[in-house]
Amino acid sequence: MRAVTLVGGGLAGALLALMLARRGLQVTVYERRADVRIERIEEGRSINLALSVRGIHALEQVGLANAVLTQTIPMRGRCIHPLSGPTSLIPYGRTPEQVIRSVSRRGLNVLLLEALTREPNAVIHFHHRCVGYDLRTRTLTIRDESTGREGRVEAPVVIGTDGAASAIRLAMMQSLRMNYSQEFLEHGYKELTIPPAANGSFRLEPHALHIWPRGGFMMIALPNLDRSFTCTLFLAHQGTPGFDQLTSPAAVREFFTQTFPDAVPLLPHLDDEFFRNPTGALVTVRCTPWYVNGQVLLMGDAAHAIVPFFGQGMNCSFEDCAVFAELFDTFGGQWEAIFPRFFELRKANTDAIAQLALDNFIEMRDTSADPHFALKRQLEHLLEERYPEQFISKYAMVSFHRVPYVQALQRGRIQDRVLMELCSRVNSLEELDVADAFARVQAALAAS
Ligand SMILES: Cc1cc2nc3c(=O)[nH]c(=O)nc-3n(C[C@H](O)[C@H](O)[C@H](O)COP(=O)(O)OP(=O)(O)OC[C@H]3O[C@@H](n4cnc5c(N)ncnc54)[C@H](O)[C@@H]3O)c2cc1C
């Protein structure tokens, strides 16, 4: 039986392992953490995630989409919390099916691992960290995290699904002429919890992604199945305001009271959580190439970590797995043919979603509070309704359709520019001529 070794059994690793095991390969996975099905692991980052069409499509390929979907909470739109005054909902989609879904990272990983361990030709070693990979001898150095013992294992074909700080990528960088960049955002993030109300109900509308846009920074909240919400504060590491200023419970409380007044009563453990939970960094990783012959390949965050503002890191990594499985079938499992083709197909697209995600930070933290932005979304939905074959909004191209990210970036930017320009001049949709807006978008796209 042909064999493949995966380093990293997170979201992409577990899904890819399952796809390859089902294709008859002997799959070995090394995962540095404990088995999430048994041990409660302190995540340190994003307890829940927004799942959308690309992720769902990939899960369909292994028959897990339905099982996952039953464990999600649909979010119909952005619920904007202004500094004062009522909240407003800006729908994501035009139809009731066009939603994104909040899913637990752990729950999703558990479902994937459960399916994987049912495959007789898949083995997963938890608590086993890869600390080196020798490309010349094709051996991995693996440390057993429970005993500290290190050993070398032969691994003729390796796929690095070991996340943003990939050990496999590091080994490749040390041995070849690999281009690499990591671009940190000046903002970091911190997770906080809105627990369920005393009667066990949600404290906010559950079918929405809540946003407190505040110009240079923002807070968001996604619902969880236990009726809590996980909030994420995105704030500069340094500055006014910045994490470096929030050094005492009094400073934190003052900051929240001033900037998120309606959230303060919902965060009973604010003081405690703010100082207990880590401040995470946000990074975009780009590298090239992602492979060496038919020997080693990077996938998921290991190849292209992105910032989380389009909710696409996991979706994109799952799309990687689906594309890879398709290529595996097309090329009859010939790694030498699959690896370069995979890189060729995915590199430009992952660069595009990296850019879309960076752009979306500006939209979420600044523009979403602007009433003209809400108008633009309404206009986009009207255009989608009236010209379904010719117009899809940028958000819908990324989240509801599997339009290649490159196209979503190119077309989306042009559409956004034209529509925002139109909407910024008016106060209501009635003042706009939808046919004229459509013609302007078409003209701008044709001229590009
Ligand atoms: C705050 C935040 C919010 C996010 N929100 C969303 C969202 O809403 N929607 C979305 O689609 N994406 C989101 N993402 C992105 C998403 O989390 C990642 O893109 C996704 O987890 C990538 O999957 P992966 O399997 O490539 O990497 P990971 O999930 O990081 O998995 C890597 C695995 O490799 C293991 N590992 C690492 N190093 C080693 C080693 N040396 N040896 C062995 N094992 C190792 C790790 O323990 C881990 O299990 C968010 C990210 C952040 C930080």
Side-chain angles (χ1 to χ4, degrees):
M1 194 186 280
R2 295 180 63 210
V4 62
T5 305
L6 269 60
V7 173
L11 296 176
L15 177 61
L16 183 70
L18 186 57
M19 288 174 162
L20 295 178
R22 297 242 178 109
R23 281 167 171 77
L25 274 84
Q26 178 64 52
V27 183
T28 306
V29 183
Y30 292 102
E31 166 54 50
R32 75 176 148 94
R33 296 194 199 187
D35 185 343
V36 287
R37 292 169 299 171
I38 301 164
E39 271 179 53
R40 189 98 216 167
I41 299 168
E42 267 312 309
E43 283 292 350
R45 63 164 196 171
S46 68
I47 285 159
N48 53 23
L49 303 152
L51 174 70
S52 51
V53 67
R54 295 166 205 263
I56 296 169
H57 172 76
L59 291 167
E60 275 166 0
Q61 309 310 303
V62 289
L64 284 181
N66 285 339
V68 171
L69 288 179
T70 56
Q71 295 190 16
T72 63
I73 300 177
M75 298 181 289
R76 300 191 189 106
R78 289 175 182 162
C79 180
I80 308 291
H81 294 245
L83 198 51
S84 60
T87 58
S88 56
L89 186 81
I90 305 180
Y92 281 125
R94 185 174 58 83
T95 62
E97 304 79 55
Q98 291 187 331
V99 295
I100 58 172
R101 292 166 178 277
S102 178
V103 66
S104 140
R105 179 188 291 275
R106 179 178 176 274
L108 184 52
N109 210 185
V110 165
L111 275 177
L112 289 166
L113 290 173
E114 274 170 355
L116 182 61
T117 45
R118 282 195 294 271
E119 296 299 319
N121 45 325
V123 181
I124 176 153
H125 302 282
F126 293 101
H127 273 308
H128 280 65
R129 179 193 291 266
C130 168
V131 290
Y133 173 55
D134 187 332
L135 269 91
R136 207 176 35 82
T137 58
R138 299 187 167 209
T139 49
L140 289 167
T141 305
I142 301 290
R143 183 194 302 148
D144 181 334
E145 296 281 77
S146 23
T147 62
R149 218 171 293 137
E150 280 184 16
R152 287 160 82 78
V153 291
E154 280 182 21
V157 181
V158 173
I159 302 183
T161 44
D162 49 347
S166 168
I168 297 299
R169 189 183 64 227
L170 185 64
M172 288 166 73
M173 282 163 65
Q174 287 163 348
S175 314
L176 19 133
R177 283 175 291 110
M178 185 186 211
N179 292 315
Y180 169 76
S181 73
Q182 59 177 21
E183 190 190 326
F184 283 98
L185 216 62
E186 63 184 67
H187 291 68
Y189 71 95
K190 184 165 307 269
E191 293 194 328
L192 303 164
T193 317
I194 296 179
N199 66 2
S201 62
F202 283 103
R203 291 194 194 216
L204 292 169
E205 161 58 47
H207 296 296
L209 188 152
H210 293 264
I211 309 187
W212 289 258
R214 295 292 182 266
F217 61 99
M218 67 175 180
M219 185 162 78
I220 65 169
L222 272 73
N224 296 311
L225 285 178
D226 66 1
R227 302 193 172 180
S228 65
F229 284 83
T230 302
C231 292
T232 313
L233 168 66
F234 295 98
L235 183 69
H237 287 286
Q238 281 154 353
T240 312
F243 280 113
D244 65 334
Q245 311 264 304
L246 303 178
T247 50
S248 67
V252 170
R253 197 145 279 276
E254 164 80 6
F255 171 67
F256 271 76
T257 307
Q258 294 297 323
T259 48
F260 308 119
D262 64 330
V264 173
L266 310 175
L267 292 162
H269 310 300
L270 175 62
D271 300 353
D272 182 36
E273 280 192 326
F274 195 90
F275 292 100
R276 199 185 54 222
N277 293 351
T279 305
L282 296 165
V283 68
T284 303
V285 169
R286 296 182 182 89
C287 61
T288 177
W290 294 349
Y291 69 99
V292 181
N293 306 319
Q295 180 185 342
V296 58
L297 175 75
L298 299 173
M299 202 182 286
D301 274 15
H304 48 71
I306 63 176
V307 294
F309 304 110
F310 223 120
Q312 284 295 307
M314 164 193 63
N315 287 289
C316 172
S317 301
F318 278 3
E319 191 173 60
D320 276 358
C321 298
V323 169
F324 188 85
E326 236 176 74
L327 290 175
F328 186 91
D329 298 339
T330 307
F331 290 106
Q334 293 308 306
W335 303 125
E336 290 77 8
I338 300 168
F339 288 7
R341 184 73 184 127
F342 174 77
F343 175 62
E344 197 184 316
L345 283 177
R346 296 299 288 161
K347 175 63 179 159
N349 280 304
T350 57
D351 282 348
I353 189 57
Q355 189 55 52
L356 281 159
L358 286 164
D359 294 353
N360 222 41
F361 185 32
I362 314 289
E363 178 176 310
M364 287 174 85
R365 70 179 204 204
D366 300 351
T367 333
S368 60
D370 176 351
H372 297 111
F373 174 77
L375 262 186
K376 177 184 152 268
R377 293 311 300 244
Q378 290 171 24
L379 178 57
E380 284 176 333
H381 293 155
L382 266 181
L383 289 167
E384 286 178 346
E385 203 171 288
R386 217 178 270 185
Y387 307 98
E389 302 299 319
Q390 291 131 302
F391 183 86
I392 311 178
S393 72
K394 181 177 78 185
Y395 192 84
M397 282 191 263
V398 171
S399 305
F400 306 137
H401 301 267
R402 289 182 294 117
V403 172
Y405 288 126
V406 167
Q407 248 185 59
L409 176 67
Q410 284 167 354
R411 291 179 71 91
R413 274 185 169 173
I414 295 169
Q415 293 177 178
D416 278 0
R417 180 175 46 75
V418 174
L419 298 180
M420 205 57 204
E421 227 169 77
L422 285 174
C423 290
S424 60
R425 291 193 220 131
V426 298
N427 294 315
S428 77
L429 266 193
E430 288 70 51
E431 296 173 57
L432 285 171
D433 176 344
V434 179
D436 173 65
F438 176 68
R440 282 170 193 261
V441 168
Q442 292 300 93
L445 288 171
S448 67

